[in-house]
Amino acid sequence: RAFIFIMLKSKTFVKKTRSGGVMKIVREHYLRDDIWCGSEVCAECKQESAVLQRDACIESNLCTYPHYLIPDTNVVLHQIDVLEDPVIRNVIILQTVLQEVRHRSAPVYKRLKDIIHEKEKHFYTFTNEHHRDTFIEREPGESANDRNDRAIRVATKWYSQHLKTSESDAEGLKVVLLTNDQGNTQKAEESSLLVYKCMWSMFSIRGSTDPFKKLCVSTNEITSSKVLFPEHLPLSRIQAGIKSGSFLQGSFRASRDNYLEATVFVQGEGEDSTEVLIQGLQNLNRAVHQDVVAVQLLPRNQWVAPSAVVLQDEGTAKDDDAEEEEEEKALRISAAEAASKPTGKIVGIIKRSWRPYCGMLNASQIKESTRHLFTPADRRIPRIRIETRQSSTLAGQRIMVAIDGWPKHSRYPNGHFVRSLGSAGEKDTEQEVLLLEHDVPHQDFSQAVLSFLPKMPWAITPEDMVKREDLRHLTVCSVDPPGCTDIDDALHCRELDNGNLEVGVHIADVSHFIRPGNAMDKEAANRGTTVYLCGKRIDMVPELLSSNLCSLRSNVERMAFSCIWEMNDKAEILKTRFTKSVINSKASLTYAEAQMRIDDTTMNDDITQSLRGLNKLAKILKRQRIEKGALTLSSLEVRFHIDSETHDPIDLQTKELMETNSMVEEFMLLANISVAQKIYDEFPDCAMLRKHPAPPPSNYDILLKAAKSKNVEIHTDSAKALADSLDGAKVDGFPYFNTLLRILATRCMMQAVYFCSGMDSDFHHYGLASPIYTHFTSPIRRYADIIVHRLLAVAIAADSTYPDLMDKHKQSALANNLNYRHKMSQYAQRASVAFHTQLFFKSRGILNEAGYVLFVRKNAIIVLIPKFGLEGTVFFDTKDKAAPNLVFDEEGPTLKVEQHNFCIFDKVKVTISLDASNIQHQKIRMALIDPVIPGVSVPAPDVEPQAKKPKLDR
């Protein structure tokens, strides 16, 4: 077959190569005449298999004749849900549209490609940019967007004429251009093209099946004529402003408590960073949480202070033309009372960080209205306006919505419905929401990942033993929480012939099974950590490894990475060695079982003797650590007792810690420190380490004030000074005081983080008072430990290296992801505890419990209930009651309510109940019983003893 190629033009430019040379690049654009139209009705094109059907009829009130659809880019971007409807067939996707969609939205591009690959949908890709009759050049002064719109119209016209001239039975077949753009519509009509708005054709289709597919309605029209926000500056202006210093670039962090306030975090040189306060709707200028923004500082006389007012954007939709006067005024009055901070306004958006958001629909009060507000579960995200005719179907559902854009004349961003997650309040739905909202990867492992698992039955081979030490004869045992199946670590202790002790920490050799760069390794690196929710575990590695082949279960042979010390009876380390090994654990014990063995004087078997030796050394190690200045802080962890049938929580207790908890912890810390030193000595530029920065002095303000209120002095100039003063902090007749003080001290701490040794100079771990630290002991549930295992294996010549392991920039980027995943998993765990706590109180009615004041606010006290490890707020200015006389003293801090003064650590009695009035943000409510303040406190409820275990509503 003879092809005609026409070379349109060539572009020539030069490029500098890495080696410093110059490379000439010529780009040529060829056009051809053998690109076929893809239609069955066409006799002209010599295509082997046509995609577009002869009988191209959709049951539509609007288009009663057979027709092909050509959507423009915006229709594809904003109505992809509609295009996915099984009813929509015979669609021509132009190359121009495909390329634009690819550049503007990777998720939509993927969905479009999936539709194109579905044969029964009859979507045809037409390469209009290389067709001789449909390619157009950009005209002088024409924007790229206008050129592309013109290319779409030219291609539509070509199709209409091409199918008309076709010597076939194409009679009646028409080509319809779908666009929501007013200008494009006008120009298409001027060219005598058949043009419709996408939504018209959709909603005039008869027999479309799934109601959720019809939810997406064009949002381009949802605006008022009034300009509410300043125009965002173009990127060129922003870049010039940042370069000249008139603008700052930073990460936008919206406030949870006040929708009219945010801060922009500006990263400076090294450790320096600045926070710029943004207040008021105009200054926030359509930025959304986590966007990268350009901010301009206001003149110093316009700087304000963070507001103490809590403002939630709730209730009915605010009019686009309405002023925010009242709320903005409240903001200014509150801010005027305190010291001002650098304040600015958003002048442009550098990078949007939008994602699909979970939340609920606030149906409009107007009957038959299709415009509704969506309220995200995350209070930092603004409400989103969507159009849907299915609001009644979505009432009470948790749904996902994506933002499409935020025009300058719209009070809210415009968005579209993505999918439904299920009924609000149901356990599975809420669990899905908290995983999505905390960005926890939780999909099933793909076949590509599972293909790298070892074939079963699995056994250790002679080849495996070549670089391993056989330690199967040692009395090794593991000590873990009850129900633990992913056992990372095991221990042994035995007396040597020379009178010294040999102590071994044996860690699961996960890096033997997960090899660098394969699909399983990439998935584990992305997940970063196993996430433990109440009653559910989301594994970092597939279960065959986490609960079986890597888990150091008893009476089976397992591969390990061992850290073995020779110590004297003063727990001084005389020798340290590291080796890959094979072990056979003799017992898998819980903390309680191990404690019982240690305490039971009648038991003297090898396992018990080993445990006693370990426990004795651990006490010495702990004492030595504390003498160096390590902190012993406190945080109340809760454990739910779950009903085996309903899986609902039936009891809630704080976890009890035993000596054996501490015993295991001491040897894990010692192994981590020993390994950190080894990998840093071998690889000073690329060791994966963990540090804990010292808190800035201002972090301790609340701790110092709390201690001072009870006439106790706390020193915070070093970790040792803090540890010593916490040890000595006692108040007669108040035994719980020291625990409360340690809980408060925990809140003052910074977050510990992973980092690459070649990218940082401060390695110190403040909480452990250690000059160097890493994570080595939990590779089944933490990816950082796998990297540390690989480094250690290379250091002892037990495994080979690979380029990324020695690249400090790659290691640093990996550390950043691990820090993010670790932080989000902690938040997800807290959210899971909060949800199960709500379930627990749901069936309890109103309880009364004793607690302690942990913080004092302007209009409230925050109370800790030790029995449940629960924190709640007692508000004194509730809407349903007349506000009492409140006097707040920041110095104390104290809050005078009528005649009673509240200080930190005061003992109070409160009622606890679940407030489910807002189904999306259910809260534990507390009300004061004691001290009795007339008009403020409530009478104690009658709490009847429960005869049997309650079944909670499902």
Side-chain angles (χ1 to χ4, degrees):
R1 215 163 48 183
F3 301 134
I4 299 173
F5 292 99
I6 304 168
M7 196 189 94
L8 177 74
K9 59 174 180 176
S10 65
K11 277 185 182 175
T12 307
F13 56 96
V14 290
K15 183 180 170 186
K16 197 172 182 181
T17 64
R18 275 186 180 177
S19 58
V22 172
M23 182 192 289
K24 182 178 178 183
I25 294 174
V26 179
R27 284 228 176 116
E28 296 175 337
H29 192 98
Y30 286 94
L31 301 180
R32 45 199 298 171
D33 69 347
D34 65 333
I35 296 170
W36 313 134
C37 71
S39 172
E40 281 181 352
V41 302
C42 178
E44 248 181 71
C45 294
K46 301 173 181 64
Q47 51 219 0
E48 283 154 26
S49 57
V51 174
L52 300 165
Q53 293 170 295
R54 181 183 300 275
D55 178 23
C57 270
I58 299 175
E59 283 194 58
S60 168
N61 299 328
L62 195 65
C63 298
T64 50
Y65 39 79
H67 60 275
Y68 297 153
L69 301 173
I70 300 185
D72 75 358
T73 308
N74 282 323
V75 166
V76 174
L77 285 169
H78 301 316
Q79 274 88 37
I80 187 73
D81 314 62
V82 176
L83 294 174
E84 285 173 333
D85 193 296
V87 173
I88 302 287
R89 296 186 301 276
N90 294 297
V91 177
I92 299 160
I93 301 294
L94 301 177
Q95 181 189 1
T96 309
V97 171
L98 199 60
Q99 285 172 342
E100 270 201 289
V101 169
R102 186 181 179 183
H103 288 135
R104 286 170 62 182
S105 174
V108 174
Y109 177 72
K110 185 183 180 304
R111 286 166 74 180
L112 182 60
K113 290 290 279 186
D114 290 344
I115 301 172
I116 292 166
H117 289 140
E118 281 181 52
K119 283 188 177 166
E120 62 277 11
K121 291 280 286 169
H122 300 281
F123 271 52
Y124 180 65
T125 312
F126 179 64
T127 319
N128 64 307
E129 295 290 354
H130 287 278
H131 193 291
R132 186 178 63 179
D133 297 331
T134 58
F135 173 77
I136 59 163
E137 284 201 72
R138 189 167 157 187
E139 291 175 353
E142 187 178 37
S143 72
N145 199 42
D146 288 346
R147 181 259 169 215
N148 288 346
D149 282 350
R150 190 159 58 88
I152 293 166
R153 292 195 300 274
V154 167
T156 308
K157 186 152 193 161
W158 178 84
Y159 255 104
S160 300
Q161 291 170 343
H162 176 77
L163 292 175
K164 250 181 209 160
T165 56
S166 158
E167 295 170 26
S168 66
D169 57 337
E171 203 168 323
L173 180 69
K174 291 188 168 56
V175 179
V176 179
L177 172 62
L178 296 178
T179 179
N180 287 322
D181 186 282
Q182 206 64 48
N184 204 12
T185 304
Q186 202 175 333
K187 284 174 183 167
E189 284 169 346
E190 285 167 8
S191 304
S192 307
L193 298 177
L194 187 57
V195 57
Y196 286 127
K197 292 207 167 191
C198 176
M199 288 306 115
W200 294 358
S201 50
M202 180 58 201
F203 285 114
S204 56
I205 288 168
R206 300 193 291 272
S208 187
T209 51
D210 183 350
F212 285 133
K213 294 279 165 105
K214 292 181 285 186
L215 290 167
C216 185
V217 180
S218 169
T219 54
N220 289 11
E221 307 302 308
I222 312 176
T223 54
S224 76
S225 55
K226 182 179 175 184
V227 174
L228 295 176
F229 297 100
E231 191 87 63
H232 286 149
L233 297 179
L235 212 51
S236 55
R237 285 268 311 275
I238 290 171
Q239 284 164 343
I242 290 169
K243 202 171 179 182
S244 69
S246 52
F247 301 151
L248 298 169
Q249 175 176 328
S251 172
F252 183 84
R253 297 178 182 180
S255 164
R256 258 196 187 86
D257 299 322
N258 189 335
Y259 77 100
L260 292 175
E261 186 169 278
T263 52
V264 174
F265 183 81
V266 181
Q267 185 65 55
E269 292 295 315
E271 296 292 305
D272 292 342
S273 60
T274 315
E275 280 197 347
V276 180
L277 187 64
I278 315 289
Q279 273 189 5
L281 212 57
Q282 295 250 316
N283 291 340
L284 293 167
N285 198 6
R286 296 169 286 154
V288 176
H289 183 61
Q290 289 185 330
D291 283 350
V292 179
V293 297
V295 64
Q296 182 177 22
L297 285 177
L298 297 173
R300 197 174 275 270
N301 62 355
Q302 291 178 32
W303 287 10
V304 293
S307 166
V309 176
V310 175
L311 285 179
Q312 302 294 353
D313 186 11
E314 292 171 333
T316 54
K318 293 188 174 64
D319 200 350
D320 285 344
D321 298 333
E323 301 293 337
E324 296 282 318
E325 277 181 10
E326 284 308 306
E327 290 183 342
E328 299 231 7
K329 206 181 287 174
L331 200 66
R332 286 195 296 274
I333 291 166
S334 165
E337 296 169 6
S340 62
K341 284 180 69 172
T343 308
K345 63 179 181 181
I346 306 297
V347 293
I349 308 293
I350 295 165
K351 181 170 173 272
R352 286 291 192 190
S353 298
W354 295 343
R355 60 178 172 84
Y357 301 104
C358 303
M360 294 183 75
L361 199 67
N362 285 24
S364 169
Q365 303 302 309
I366 304 164
K367 207 177 173 191
E368 303 297 319
S369 174
T370 58
R371 295 173 59 180
H372 306 279
L373 271 185
F374 162 82
T375 304
D378 186 342
R379 289 190 183 277
R380 294 169 300 187
I381 305 301
R383 294 196 285 175
I384 301 163
R385 193 177 266 155
I386 69 167
E387 287 225 351
T388 171
R389 294 164 196 269
Q390 298 290 325
S391 57
S392 55
T393 315
L394 295 179
Q397 298 261 324
R398 288 281 204 168
I399 63 172
M400 286 185 85
V401 161
I403 298 178
D404 296 324
W406 196 342
K408 62 187 174 187
H409 31 42
S410 173
R411 169 69 181 78
Y412 300 104
N414 297 329
H416 67 271
F417 168 86
V418 177
R419 67 185 171 107
S420 173
L421 300 169
S423 296
E426 282 188 3
K427 205 169 327 154
D428 289 347
T429 305
E430 296 305 323
Q431 195 156 269
E432 177 76 0
V433 167
L434 78 85
L435 290 169
L436 288 166
E437 281 299 293
H438 294 98
D439 198 13
V440 174
H442 59 288
Q443 66 283 6
D444 291 340
F445 288 103
S446 67
Q447 279 310 119
V449 169
L450 298 175
S451 69
F452 286 98
L453 288 170
K455 302 290 173 276
M456 298 300 284
W458 174 86
I460 295 169
T461 64
E463 293 83 54
D464 291 330
M465 295 300 297
V466 173
K467 288 188 175 178
R468 290 182 185 274
E469 209 170 310
D470 190 343
L471 304 179
R472 287 174 285 196
H473 59 285
L474 293 177
T475 307
V476 171
C477 68
S478 62
V479 185
D480 289 283
C484 177
T485 59
D486 50 344
I487 302 171
D488 284 291
D489 53 89
L491 299 155
H492 88 271
C493 175
R494 63 173 181 166
E495 198 167 331
L496 298 172
D497 295 340
N498 61 8
N500 289 332
L501 295 164
E502 179 187 84
V503 175
V505 165
H506 311 278
I507 305 300
D509 188 6
V510 183
S511 64
H512 170 81
F513 296 95
I514 299 182
R515 303 310 295 165
N518 70 21
M520 188 151 58
D521 181 48
K522 286 176 179 167
E523 181 66 23
N526 177 43
R527 292 186 179 216
T529 178
T530 292
V531 181
Y532 296 90
L533 305 179
C534 301
K536 185 180 174 79
R537 187 180 83 202
I538 290 134
D539 282 327
M540 180 182 82
V541 299
E543 194 175 16
L544 179 64
L545 296 184
S546 67
S547 294
N548 187 351
L549 302 185
C550 290
S551 184
L552 305 182
R553 304 189 301 189
S554 52
N555 304 311
V556 287
E557 293 182 357
R558 289 289 178 259
M559 294 184 179
F561 210 147
S562 301
C563 173
I564 299 168
W565 303 279
E566 186 177 326
M567 293 182 175
N568 59 25
D569 56 5
K570 292 176 186 160
E572 292 166 338
I573 297 169
L574 309 172
K575 281 184 197 160
T576 307
R577 67 189 180 91
F578 307 99
T579 179
K580 291 240 178 178
S581 61
V582 175
I583 63 165
N584 188 323
S585 171
K586 304 300 182 275
S588 303
L589 305 172
T590 63
Y591 291 117
E593 287 166 348
Q595 193 67 52
M596 198 176 68
R597 279 175 176 264
I598 290 167
D599 296 341
D600 187 347
T601 51
T602 62
M603 294 187 79
N604 284 300
D605 58 283
D606 287 351
I607 294 168
T608 307
Q609 295 280 30
S610 176
L611 287 168
R612 284 189 188 131
L614 289 164
N615 197 38
K616 192 176 171 186
L617 290 168
K619 286 177 179 176
I620 301 169
L621 289 169
K622 185 170 186 176
R623 193 176 68 241
Q624 288 172 353
R625 265 194 327 109
I626 288 168
E627 280 167 7
K628 282 183 193 162
L631 296 171
T632 310
L633 300 175
S634 185
S635 62
L636 294 178
E637 285 189 66
V638 294
R639 167 160 284 140
F640 292 95
H641 294 269
I642 304 286
D643 186 296
S644 56
E645 292 170 37
T646 66
H647 303 291
D648 285 330
I650 51 173
D651 199 7
L652 173 60
Q653 291 174 338
T654 49
K655 291 180 187 174
E656 262 187 80
L657 295 179
M658 303 178 185
E659 256 185 19
T660 43
N661 288 77
S662 181
M663 174 188 83
V664 173
E665 184 187 10
E666 285 308 317
F667 287 108
M668 297 305 114
L669 293 175
L670 192 62
N672 286 335
I673 292 166
S674 297
V675 170
Q677 197 58 58
K678 177 70 176 174
I679 61 172
Y680 177 62
D681 289 345
E682 293 287 334
F683 309 109
D685 267 356
C686 58
M688 176 73 76
L689 301 177
R690 188 163 175 82
K691 67 172 181 174
H692 182 215
S698 60
N699 277 31
Y700 287 123
D701 287 353
I702 192 69
L703 178 70
L704 298 175
K705 284 177 179 177
K708 193 180 173 187
S709 71
K710 299 292 179 199
N711 296 317
V712 170
E713 203 172 343
I714 297 287
H715 299 284
T716 59
D717 29 335
S718 70
K720 172 117 179 82
L722 176 61
D724 290 347
S725 48
L726 283 172
D727 286 344
K730 290 181 179 63
V731 172
D732 291 340
F734 190 180
Y736 201 64
F737 171 74
N738 192 270
T739 306
L740 286 170
L741 211 55
R742 289 180 194 275
I743 289 170
L744 216 48
T746 307
R747 310 287 172 93
C748 303
M749 293 299 134
M750 305 290 282
Q751 185 78 40
V753 289
Y754 297 111
F755 68 101
C756 173
S757 58
M759 304 291 279
D760 210 323
S761 54
D762 174 23
F763 294 7
H764 191 74
H765 197 293
Y766 181 80
L768 297 172
S770 175
I772 195 165
Y773 191 65
T774 194
H775 272 163
F776 163 75
T777 55
S778 295
I780 295 176
R781 61 185 178 89
R782 291 188 307 230
Y783 188 76
D785 304 52
I786 293 179
I787 294 293
V788 169
H789 277 228
R790 289 174 181 169
L791 287 163
L792 185 61
V794 176
I796 63 166
D799 205 343
S800 52
T801 185
Y802 57 101
D804 282 7
L805 193 65
M806 298 296 146
D807 184 330
K808 65 179 181 181
H809 298 286
K810 292 261 175 73
Q811 289 285 55
S812 190
L814 175 61
N816 290 339
N817 180 55
L818 297 180
N819 290 330
Y820 170 71
R821 292 292 187 208
H822 183 69
K823 181 173 72 178
M824 291 318 250
S825 81
Q826 284 184 319
Y827 290 163
Q829 281 158 232
R830 284 179 209 162
S832 179
V833 168
F835 176 65
H836 278 75
T837 304
Q838 289 166 8
L839 280 183
F840 172 74
F841 283 106
K842 193 173 179 180
S843 67
R844 294 300 191 279
I846 300 176
L847 300 182
N848 51 356
E849 294 293 342
Y852 296 96
V853 176
L854 209 51
F855 299 103
V856 177
R857 298 279 184 257
K858 277 188 174 181
N859 60 343
I861 52 172
I862 291 156
V863 176
L864 175 75
I865 312 293
K867 180 179 173 182
F868 297 131
L870 177 71
E871 264 177 57
T873 308
V874 176
F875 286 100
F876 294 118
D877 58 352
T878 51
K879 287 175 186 171
D880 52 352
K881 278 186 183 177
N885 185 29
L886 302 177
V887 181
F888 178 67
D889 176 15
E890 210 168 336
E891 276 311 296
T894 62
L895 179 64
K896 191 175 184 181
V897 182
E898 296 296 341
Q899 298 307 308
H900 186 87
N901 248 349
F902 286 99
C903 305
I904 295 179
F905 300 157
D906 280 1
K907 194 166 186 179
V908 293
K909 205 165 203 180
V910 294
T911 64
I912 310 171
S913 59
L914 179 68
D915 174 8
S917 57
N918 180 339
I919 194 161
Q920 177 152 259
H921 296 118
Q922 296 191 24
K923 289 190 185 88
I924 299 294
R925 286 270 182 227
M926 291 189 183
L928 189 69
I929 300 173
D930 189 59
V932 176
I933 303 172
V936 175
S937 50
V938 297
D942 297 324
V943 181
E944 291 181 20
Q946 289 166 346
K948 61 187 171 90
K949 291 195 293 190
K951 298 274 188 209
L952 300 193
D953 298 339
R954 295 204 73 190

